[in-house]
Amino acid sequence: MGAKAGFALKLLQWFIRGIQFCCSALILALFSYFLAVLTNRHLPIPTWTRAVEGISGIGVLYTILGLLLLCCLAGHPFTSFIAIVLDICFIGAYIYVASATRAGASSCTGTVDTVFGTGRAEDLINNQHPTYRQACQMETACFAVSIVAIIFFVFSALFEVVLVRHRRKERRFGPSPANNYTSGYGSRRGIFGLFRRRRTADTTNSNTLPEHTHPDQMRQSYNTETTAVGPEAGTYNGSYNKYQHDGQVAYPETGTATSHTQPAGYRY
């Protein structure tokens, strides 16, 4: 159960990091194209385009590193803490990217505002491709992808916490009868068992007193002094009463007094 749950969590985090990588790579590719066109045509380069280029480039490197570290350091407290901090930073960074490319949220018709300036949608930029409409549509793609990246960076930060909790449960419980001495922390009862901790109690308690003797384990006796006395060596049939002599009943069952004869050679 524990190994399968850990593999499922890692696979889901892999999927999240993969989406983040694709979003960052798409923004990096489009803005690299924008910067290349602006440079070749000797057009002014806005500062925010360089910022978006840098954010997306760092995002690509970070997501690649995150995918690699998931193979060996998934759920480690130190690396997960750093990942959570960086995920929060990238949430803010991609909010900036969405704000910078908000012009792409328009319908890209009529007069549009793009990286290359403002113009009519059907006009060419400096009499060369692309058109302002095409540039606006590329900004629309960057705007949409940045929103997706923000959502998945929130998910990845939350799943880092889940991975840390799962790793601690694995180390706390380990192999036990609950998981057939393999790995993990045993099975949960019900679907809600995944969201609550299971309290485990020790099977043995060093402070527990020994179990008392049951009545069927005691032999019949008339006096507590002769209760559960083990047979001594040399006795007949294992029965011996230290208060009974030959031919004399120590405690008659009738409860009446009997005559007492002093044994020969015996002195009180």
Side-chain angles (χ1 to χ4, degrees), residues 4 30 79 105 116 118 120 137 178:
K4 293 180 180 179
L30 292 178
T79 55
F116 303 102
T118 304
R120 293 185 59 83
Q137 289 173 346

Side-chain angles (χ1 to χ4, degrees), residues 45 54 70 149 154 208 212:
I45 300 175
L70 274 175
V154 173
T208 303
H212 294 288

Side-chain angles (χ1 to χ4, degrees), residues 190-202:
I191 189 172
F192 297 101
L194 296 173
F195 303 99
R196 65 171 181 269
R197 291 186 177 180
R198 181 180 180 182
R199 295 184 179 179
T200 57
D202 295 335

Side-chain angles (χ1 to χ4, degrees), residues 11-50:
L11 187 63
L12 187 57
Q13 188 73 325
W14 257 76
F15 173 74
I16 292 174
R17 293 296 185 192
I19 296 297
Q20 294 170 355
F21 169 77
C22 293
C23 293
S24 300
L26 179 61
I27 296 174
L28 177 64
L30 292 178
F31 270 82
S32 296
Y33 171 75
F34 290 157
L35 290 176
V37 172
L38 290 170
T39 302
N40 291 334
R41 299 181 185 181
H42 304 288
L43 297 175
I45 300 175
T47 304
W48 64 270
T49 57
R50 299 179 187 271

Side-chain angles (χ1 to χ4, degrees), residues 221-227 243 251:
S221 175
Y222 299 98
N223 194 338
T224 56
E225 297 179 357
T226 61
T227 301
Y243 293 103
Y251 299 96

Side-chain angles (χ1 to χ4, degrees), residues 37-258:
V37 172
L38 290 170
T39 302
N40 291 334
R41 299 181 185 181
H42 304 288
L43 297 175
I45 300 175
T47 304
W48 64 270
T49 57
R50 299 179 187 271
V52 172
E53 176 84 359
I55 291 171
S56 58
I58 297 173
V60 169
L61 295 177
Y62 169 67
T63 52
I64 292 175
L65 183 62
L67 289 170
L68 296 176
L69 291 180
L70 274 175
C71 300
C72 53
L73 294 176
H76 194 279
F78 179 72
T79 55
S80 294
F81 173 76
I82 295 177
I84 291 172
V85 173
L86 291 177
D87 286 340
I88 295 174
C89 293
F90 274 104
I91 291 172
Y94 277 96
I95 289 175
Y96 171 79
V97 173
S99 176
T101 58
R102 63 186 182 275
S106 63
S107 60
C108 296
T109 58
T111 302
V112 295
D113 187 12
T114 67
V115 177
F116 303 102
T118 304
R120 293 185 59 83
E122 62 274 7
D123 292 343
L124 295 175
I125 300 173
N126 289 350
N127 295 323
Q128 298 181 30
H129 286 284
T131 63
Y132 285 99
R133 175 180 287 108
Q134 292 172 336
C136 178
Q137 289 173 346
M138 285 187 279
E139 284 194 45
T140 302
C142 293
F143 175 78
V145 164
S146 63
I147 297 297
V148 174
I150 292 170
I151 296 173
F152 277 87
F153 272 112
V154 173
F155 287 162
S156 62
L158 295 177
F159 268 93
E160 287 294 337
V161 177
V162 175
L163 285 171
V164 171
R165 289 174 60 87
H166 176 77
R167 178 185 173 89
R168 288 180 177 177
K169 287 181 181 179
E170 286 277 339
R171 298 186 64 181
R172 182 184 300 119
F173 296 100
S176 68
N179 51 40
N180 296 326
Y181 294 97
T182 54
S183 63
Y185 45 87
S187 59
R188 298 290 194 222
R189 293 184 178 179
I191 189 172
F192 297 101
L194 296 173
F195 303 99
R196 65 171 181 269
R197 291 186 177 180
R198 181 180 180 182
R199 295 184 179 179
T200 57
D202 295 335
T203 56
T204 59
N205 189 353
S206 58
N207 297 323
T208 303
L209 296 175
E211 186 179 2
H212 294 288
T213 306
H214 296 282
D216 56 353
Q217 297 175 341
M218 302 290 293
R219 69 179 179 84
Q220 296 296 329
S221 175
Y222 299 98
N223 194 338
T224 56
E225 297 179 357
T226 61
T227 301
V229 176
E232 299 179 359
T235 59
Y236 180 75
N237 291 332
S239 61
Y240 174 73
N241 193 332
K242 59 184 178 180
Y243 293 103
Q244 182 176 348
H245 302 281
D246 295 337
Q248 179 184 2
V249 179
Y251 299 96
E253 296 181 1
T254 58
T256 59
T258 58

